[in-house]
Amino acid sequence: MSVVLLDADAVARTVRRMATEIVEATEGAQRAAIVGIRRGGVGLAARLARLIAESEGRPLPIGTVDIGLYRDDAATTLPDPKIGPSHVPFDPEGKDVVLVDDVLQTGRTVRAALDCLLDYGRPRRVWLAVLLDRGGRELPIAADFVGRQVEVGGDARVRVVVSSDGSGPDEAAVE
Amino acid sequence: MRRLRHVLDIASLERDDILRILDTAEAFFEVSRRPVRKVPTLRGKTVVNLFYEPSTRTRTSFEIAGKRLSADTVNMSVASSSVTKGESLYDTAKTLEAMHPDVVVVRHGASGAPHYLASELACGVINAGDGMHAHPSQALLDAFTIRRHKGRLSGLRIAICGDIAHSRVARSNCVLLRAFGNEVRVVGPRTLIPPRFGEAFDVRVFHALEPALEGADVIMCLRIQRERLGEPLLPSNREYSRTFGVGPQHLSIAAEDAIVMHPGPMNRGVEIDPRVADGPQSVVLDQVEAGVAVRMALLYLLAGDGGSSPEQEPR
């Protein structure tokens, strides 16, 4: 059984609000750059970058990080062949980097993504944006921009689909 | 997906294994181009490079691959001794065992030495070249380079030129490239291609450069391994160069977008003309760069503890 948390319209509204909050917090996104965490965060990152670029009238640097090589359980869960390339085509030095993921739970992914991002340079500041915060943290990590806070059991599977251009089918659901 | 225990030769890998290694290497390729060229993936793992033969590039490549993954890399260069190989290898195996390495990378002058180590050691073993038998990591990095330049790894016409007889690189490449459905041609003087090589590896044998290079998408030059020649199989370098050296005039016979490869180290002016080696169709340095990525992939796939893959990524 699947319970819809956000339908396509709700996703669109939520992402628009997050984009506005990011622009506000980063003083017009002058130095902002968006980095999506592979793979769940990539669609949302592209969507946010697009909305911010539209409202501010200029494109934002955008990148992706793959946490496969930085996982704290990398040694015990090997061989997990699903490693994708990271791609940060700009120098993070001096930037306000917004790290983007679809769901925040334990915080371990974000910890790994931070390590990866910092290997590319030293940002002025790193923010965290997630569509869903489902609780259950195992590390002291908090998001700055949250689409929706939800309480779901630790075992529940949360499925999030966010297209990069709003063409759908966007949805967040618990299965 | 089955777990890779050892990488001893191409023949013992399945097509899926090869593709998984190449795909994993794609992810590692990017790491070497970052400002910080190191990821913490194999922190606390130990990789021993055990080299019984002199080697600079392969050993360095494995060493850099291990270091970029944060593994502790130890080099053991063993000078060839008079001790019979079986004995010394057995003792070395037991000594290594006691140091609990996670991966042993071995190069040995005797074909089959890495297989023997693999049977004695609990850890993973990578063959970095054994005798005239196999050099799987070289064939894999060649495949990686070909795929990057040609966009595919099948249906290509590939000419391997030179000293086929003494070349483990040629043997591993023949096995890999045939497994992916390429037309493979080997070309060299009769003294440097073993009898029935064509049947054994299902490749076409030529004894003249021009017909072999006709329409080739990939030209692979091999080093003339003079140190391996026990008796004079070649009249002279000059004579060899005139008949089998790949020069600019040969590139017009091959496909227009053909790439030229060489596993190194090159004998410039012998098996390859400097104008070809440094020309726009040469991908020799790309092969070196690919080598680090492919060896990172091998170490990564072998050094794990072998737990099951999690169904879902941690959030």
Side-chain angles (χ1 to χ4, degrees), chain A residues 53-91:
Chain A
E54 273 169 24
S55 78
E56 300 308 300
R58 60 192 143 75
L60 260 70
I62 178 158
T64 53
V65 289
D66 187 280
I67 62 141
L69 304 174
Y70 292 84
R71 291 169 68 137
D72 50 12
D73 56 354
T76 52
T77 55
L78 290 175
D80 182 355
K82 296 236 165 41
I83 299 184
S86 295
H87 183 60
V88 181
F90 57 89
D91 184 1

Short mmCIF file of all heavy atoms in Angstrom, two decimals, chain A residues 53-91:
data_model
loop_
_atom_site.label_atom_id
_atom_site.label_comp_id
_atom_site.label_asym_id
_atom_site.label_seq_id
_atom_site.Cartn_x
_atom_site.Cartn_y
_atom_site.Cartn_z
N ALA A 53 17.41 30.38 -11.40
CA ALA A 53 17.92 31.08 -12.58
C ALA A 53 16.81 31.93 -13.21
O ALA A 53 17.06 33.06 -13.63
CB ALA A 53 18.46 30.07 -13.59
N GLU A 54 15.60 31.37 -13.25
CA GLU A 54 14.48 32.12 -13.82
C GLU A 54 14.19 33.37 -13.01
O GLU A 54 14.04 34.47 -13.55
CB GLU A 54 13.22 31.25 -13.87
CG GLU A 54 13.14 30.42 -15.14
CD GLU A 54 12.03 29.36 -15.05
OE1 GLU A 54 11.07 29.57 -14.26
OE2 GLU A 54 12.14 28.34 -15.76
N SER A 55 14.14 33.22 -11.68
CA SER A 55 13.76 34.37 -10.86
C SER A 55 14.87 35.42 -10.79
O SER A 55 14.60 36.61 -10.67
CB SER A 55 13.34 33.92 -9.46
OG SER A 55 14.49 33.64 -8.69
N GLU A 56 16.13 35.00 -10.87
CA GLU A 56 17.23 35.96 -10.73
C GLU A 56 17.81 36.39 -12.09
O GLU A 56 18.70 37.24 -12.14
CB GLU A 56 18.35 35.36 -9.87
CG GLU A 56 17.90 35.00 -8.46
CD GLU A 56 17.20 36.17 -7.75
OE1 GLU A 56 17.83 37.22 -7.60
OE2 GLU A 56 16.01 36.02 -7.39
N GLY A 57 17.37 35.72 -13.14
CA GLY A 57 17.76 36.15 -14.48
C GLY A 57 19.18 35.79 -14.89
O GLY A 57 19.74 36.39 -15.80
N ARG A 58 19.80 34.83 -14.20
CA ARG A 58 21.12 34.36 -14.66
C ARG A 58 21.30 32.90 -14.23
O ARG A 58 20.74 32.46 -13.23
CB ARG A 58 22.24 35.24 -14.09
CG ARG A 58 22.31 35.26 -12.60
CD ARG A 58 23.23 36.34 -12.07
NE ARG A 58 22.66 36.91 -10.86
CZ ARG A 58 22.65 36.31 -9.70
NH1 ARG A 58 23.18 35.11 -9.58
NH2 ARG A 58 22.09 36.86 -8.64
N PRO A 59 22.09 32.16 -15.00
CA PRO A 59 22.25 30.73 -14.70
C PRO A 59 23.14 30.51 -13.48
O PRO A 59 23.98 31.34 -13.15
CB PRO A 59 22.92 30.18 -15.97
CG PRO A 59 23.61 31.34 -16.58
CD PRO A 59 22.82 32.57 -16.21
N LEU A 60 22.91 29.40 -12.80
CA LEU A 60 23.70 29.04 -11.62
C LEU A 60 24.65 27.89 -11.97
O LEU A 60 24.27 27.01 -12.73
CB LEU A 60 22.78 28.52 -10.52
CG LEU A 60 22.38 29.46 -9.40
CD1 LEU A 60 21.46 30.51 -9.97
CD2 LEU A 60 21.70 28.68 -8.30
N PRO A 61 25.84 27.87 -11.38
CA PRO A 61 26.68 26.69 -11.55
C PRO A 61 25.99 25.49 -10.89
O PRO A 61 25.39 25.63 -9.82
CB PRO A 61 27.97 27.02 -10.79
CG PRO A 61 27.90 28.48 -10.48
CD PRO A 61 26.46 28.88 -10.52
N ILE A 62 26.03 24.34 -11.56
CA ILE A 62 25.39 23.16 -11.01
C ILE A 62 26.31 21.95 -11.15
O ILE A 62 27.08 21.86 -12.10
CB ILE A 62 24.01 22.92 -11.68
CG1 ILE A 62 23.34 21.67 -11.15
CG2 ILE A 62 24.12 22.85 -13.20
CD1 ILE A 62 21.84 21.66 -11.34
N GLY A 63 26.28 21.09 -10.13
CA GLY A 63 27.13 19.91 -10.16
C GLY A 63 26.44 18.72 -9.52
O GLY A 63 25.32 18.85 -9.02
N THR A 64 27.09 17.58 -9.57
CA THR A 64 26.58 16.40 -8.87
C THR A 64 27.72 15.73 -8.12
O THR A 64 28.87 15.77 -8.55
CB THR A 64 25.99 15.35 -9.85
OG1 THR A 64 26.96 15.06 -10.84
CG2 THR A 64 24.74 15.83 -10.52
N VAL A 65 27.39 15.14 -6.98
CA VAL A 65 28.39 14.34 -6.28
C VAL A 65 27.84 12.93 -6.11
O VAL A 65 26.65 12.74 -5.91
CB VAL A 65 28.78 14.92 -4.90
CG1 VAL A 65 29.59 16.19 -5.06
CG2 VAL A 65 27.56 15.17 -4.03
N ASP A 66 28.75 11.96 -6.23
CA ASP A 66 28.39 10.56 -6.00
C ASP A 66 29.07 10.14 -4.71
O ASP A 66 30.28 10.32 -4.56
CB ASP A 66 28.88 9.69 -7.15
CG ASP A 66 28.37 8.27 -7.03
OD1 ASP A 66 28.96 7.50 -6.25
OD2 ASP A 66 27.39 7.95 -7.69
N ILE A 67 28.30 9.59 -3.77
CA ILE A 67 28.89 9.32 -2.46
C ILE A 67 29.49 7.94 -2.37
O ILE A 67 30.05 7.57 -1.35
CB ILE A 67 27.86 9.50 -1.33
CG1 ILE A 67 26.71 8.50 -1.50
CG2 ILE A 67 27.37 10.93 -1.27
CD1 ILE A 67 26.27 7.95 -0.18
N GLY A 68 29.38 7.15 -3.44
CA GLY A 68 29.82 5.75 -3.39
C GLY A 68 31.20 5.55 -2.79
O GLY A 68 31.41 4.64 -2.00
N LEU A 69 32.12 6.44 -3.12
CA LEU A 69 33.50 6.28 -2.67
C LEU A 69 33.72 6.82 -1.27
O LEU A 69 34.78 6.65 -0.70
CB LEU A 69 34.44 6.98 -3.64
CG LEU A 69 34.31 6.53 -5.09
CD1 LEU A 69 35.17 7.39 -5.99
CD2 LEU A 69 34.70 5.08 -5.20
N TYR A 70 32.72 7.49 -0.72
CA TYR A 70 32.89 8.15 0.58
C TYR A 70 32.04 7.54 1.68
O TYR A 70 32.01 8.03 2.78
CB TYR A 70 32.53 9.65 0.45
CG TYR A 70 33.51 10.40 -0.41
CD1 TYR A 70 33.40 10.41 -1.79
CD2 TYR A 70 34.58 11.08 0.16
CE1 TYR A 70 34.30 11.08 -2.58
CE2 TYR A 70 35.49 11.76 -0.62
CZ TYR A 70 35.34 11.75 -2.00
OH TYR A 70 36.24 12.42 -2.77
N ARG A 71 31.30 6.48 1.33
CA ARG A 71 30.42 5.87 2.33
C ARG A 71 31.21 5.34 3.50
O ARG A 71 32.28 4.77 3.32
CB ARG A 71 29.64 4.73 1.68
CG ARG A 71 28.63 5.20 0.68
CD ARG A 71 28.09 4.04 -0.10
NE ARG A 71 27.30 3.19 0.75
CZ ARG A 71 26.14 2.67 0.37
NH1 ARG A 71 25.67 2.93 -0.82
NH2 ARG A 71 25.48 1.89 1.17
N ASP A 72 30.65 5.48 4.72
CA ASP A 72 31.38 4.96 5.88
C ASP A 72 31.25 3.44 5.94
O ASP A 72 31.94 2.79 6.70
CB ASP A 72 30.92 5.63 7.19
CG ASP A 72 29.41 5.61 7.35
OD1 ASP A 72 28.74 4.90 6.58
OD2 ASP A 72 28.92 6.34 8.23
N ASP A 73 30.34 2.87 5.13
CA ASP A 73 30.21 1.42 5.10
C ASP A 73 30.77 0.85 3.80
O ASP A 73 30.47 -0.26 3.43
CB ASP A 73 28.74 1.00 5.28
CG ASP A 73 27.83 1.65 4.24
OD1 ASP A 73 28.33 2.49 3.47
OD2 ASP A 73 26.64 1.30 4.21
N ALA A 74 31.58 1.67 3.11
CA ALA A 74 32.09 1.24 1.81
C ALA A 74 32.82 -0.10 1.91
O ALA A 74 32.66 -0.97 1.07
CB ALA A 74 33.03 2.29 1.22
N ALA A 75 33.60 -0.25 2.96
CA ALA A 75 34.42 -1.45 3.07
C ALA A 75 33.58 -2.70 3.37
O ALA A 75 33.96 -3.80 3.01
CB ALA A 75 35.48 -1.27 4.14
N THR A 76 32.45 -2.54 4.04
CA THR A 76 31.68 -3.71 4.43
C THR A 76 30.60 -4.06 3.43
O THR A 76 30.12 -5.18 3.42
CB THR A 76 31.04 -3.50 5.81
OG1 THR A 76 30.33 -2.27 5.79
CG2 THR A 76 32.07 -3.47 6.89
N THR A 77 30.19 -3.13 2.61
CA THR A 77 29.12 -3.45 1.67
C THR A 77 29.66 -3.70 0.27
O THR A 77 28.91 -3.94 -0.65
CB THR A 77 28.08 -2.33 1.59
OG1 THR A 77 28.75 -1.13 1.27
CG2 THR A 77 27.34 -2.18 2.87
N LEU A 78 30.95 -3.65 0.10
CA LEU A 78 31.52 -3.98 -1.19
C LEU A 78 31.22 -5.43 -1.54
O LEU A 78 31.11 -6.24 -0.66
CB LEU A 78 33.04 -3.77 -1.17
CG LEU A 78 33.51 -2.34 -1.09
CD1 LEU A 78 35.03 -2.33 -0.95
CD2 LEU A 78 33.09 -1.56 -2.29
N PRO A 79 31.13 -5.84 -2.76
CA PRO A 79 31.23 -4.94 -3.89
C PRO A 79 29.86 -4.41 -4.31
O PRO A 79 29.01 -5.17 -4.67
CB PRO A 79 31.81 -5.81 -4.98
CG PRO A 79 31.31 -7.18 -4.66
CD PRO A 79 30.99 -7.22 -3.18
N ASP A 80 29.69 -3.15 -4.21
CA ASP A 80 28.48 -2.51 -4.70
C ASP A 80 28.87 -1.79 -5.98
O ASP A 80 29.57 -0.81 -5.94
CB ASP A 80 27.96 -1.53 -3.66
CG ASP A 80 26.66 -0.87 -4.12
OD1 ASP A 80 26.24 -1.12 -5.26
OD2 ASP A 80 26.09 -0.10 -3.36
N PRO A 81 28.48 -2.33 -7.11
CA PRO A 81 29.02 -1.80 -8.36
C PRO A 81 28.44 -0.44 -8.75
O PRO A 81 28.89 0.15 -9.70
CB PRO A 81 28.62 -2.87 -9.38
CG PRO A 81 27.43 -3.53 -8.80
CD PRO A 81 27.53 -3.40 -7.31
N LYS A 82 27.44 0.03 -8.01
CA LYS A 82 26.76 1.23 -8.47
C LYS A 82 27.50 2.51 -8.08
O LYS A 82 27.05 3.26 -7.24
CB LYS A 82 25.35 1.27 -7.88
CG LYS A 82 24.49 0.12 -8.37
CD LYS A 82 23.22 0.62 -9.03
CE LYS A 82 22.54 -0.47 -9.83
NZ LYS A 82 22.54 -1.79 -9.19
N ILE A 83 28.67 2.71 -8.65
CA ILE A 83 29.37 3.96 -8.41
C ILE A 83 29.26 4.80 -9.66
O ILE A 83 29.57 4.34 -10.75
CB ILE A 83 30.85 3.72 -8.13
CG1 ILE A 83 30.99 2.87 -6.90
CG2 ILE A 83 31.57 5.04 -7.92
CD1 ILE A 83 32.41 2.68 -6.52
N GLY A 84 28.80 6.03 -9.50
CA GLY A 84 28.73 6.91 -10.66
C GLY A 84 29.76 8.00 -10.51
O GLY A 84 30.31 8.20 -9.43
N PRO A 85 30.06 8.70 -11.56
CA PRO A 85 31.03 9.77 -11.45
C PRO A 85 30.46 11.01 -10.77
O PRO A 85 29.29 11.33 -10.93
CB PRO A 85 31.38 10.08 -12.91
CG PRO A 85 30.26 9.54 -13.71
CD PRO A 85 29.56 8.51 -12.92
N SER A 86 31.30 11.68 -10.00
CA SER A 86 30.95 13.01 -9.50
C SER A 86 31.31 14.01 -10.58
O SER A 86 32.20 13.77 -11.38
CB SER A 86 31.72 13.32 -8.22
OG SER A 86 31.34 12.43 -7.20
N HIS A 87 30.62 15.13 -10.58
CA HIS A 87 30.90 16.12 -11.62
C HIS A 87 30.66 17.51 -11.03
O HIS A 87 29.52 17.91 -10.85
CB HIS A 87 29.99 15.86 -12.82
CG HIS A 87 30.25 16.77 -13.97
ND1 HIS A 87 31.48 16.82 -14.61
CD2 HIS A 87 29.47 17.67 -14.60
CE1 HIS A 87 31.42 17.71 -15.58
NE2 HIS A 87 30.22 18.24 -15.60
N VAL A 88 31.73 18.18 -10.66
CA VAL A 88 31.61 19.53 -10.14
C VAL A 88 32.39 20.45 -11.08
O VAL A 88 33.60 20.64 -10.91
CB VAL A 88 32.14 19.63 -8.68
CG1 VAL A 88 31.97 21.04 -8.14
CG2 VAL A 88 31.39 18.65 -7.79
N PRO A 89 31.72 20.99 -12.09
CA PRO A 89 32.45 21.71 -13.15
C PRO A 89 32.77 23.16 -12.80
O PRO A 89 32.97 23.96 -13.69
CB PRO A 89 31.47 21.63 -14.33
CG PRO A 89 30.12 21.58 -13.70
CD PRO A 89 30.29 20.89 -12.37
N PHE A 90 32.76 23.50 -11.51
CA PHE A 90 33.11 24.86 -11.12
C PHE A 90 33.96 24.79 -9.86
O PHE A 90 33.98 23.76 -9.19
CB PHE A 90 31.85 25.69 -10.87
CG PHE A 90 30.95 25.09 -9.81
CD1 PHE A 90 31.11 25.40 -8.47
CD2 PHE A 90 29.94 24.20 -10.17
CE1 PHE A 90 30.30 24.84 -7.50
CE2 PHE A 90 29.12 23.63 -9.20
CZ PHE A 90 29.31 23.96 -7.87
N ASP A 91 34.67 25.84 -9.55
CA ASP A 91 35.48 25.88 -8.35
C ASP A 91 34.61 26.32 -7.18
O ASP A 91 34.08 27.44 -7.18
CB ASP A 91 36.64 26.86 -8.55
CG ASP A 91 37.58 26.87 -7.35
OD1 ASP A 91 37.33 26.11 -6.40
OD2 ASP A 91 38.55 27.64 -7.38
#
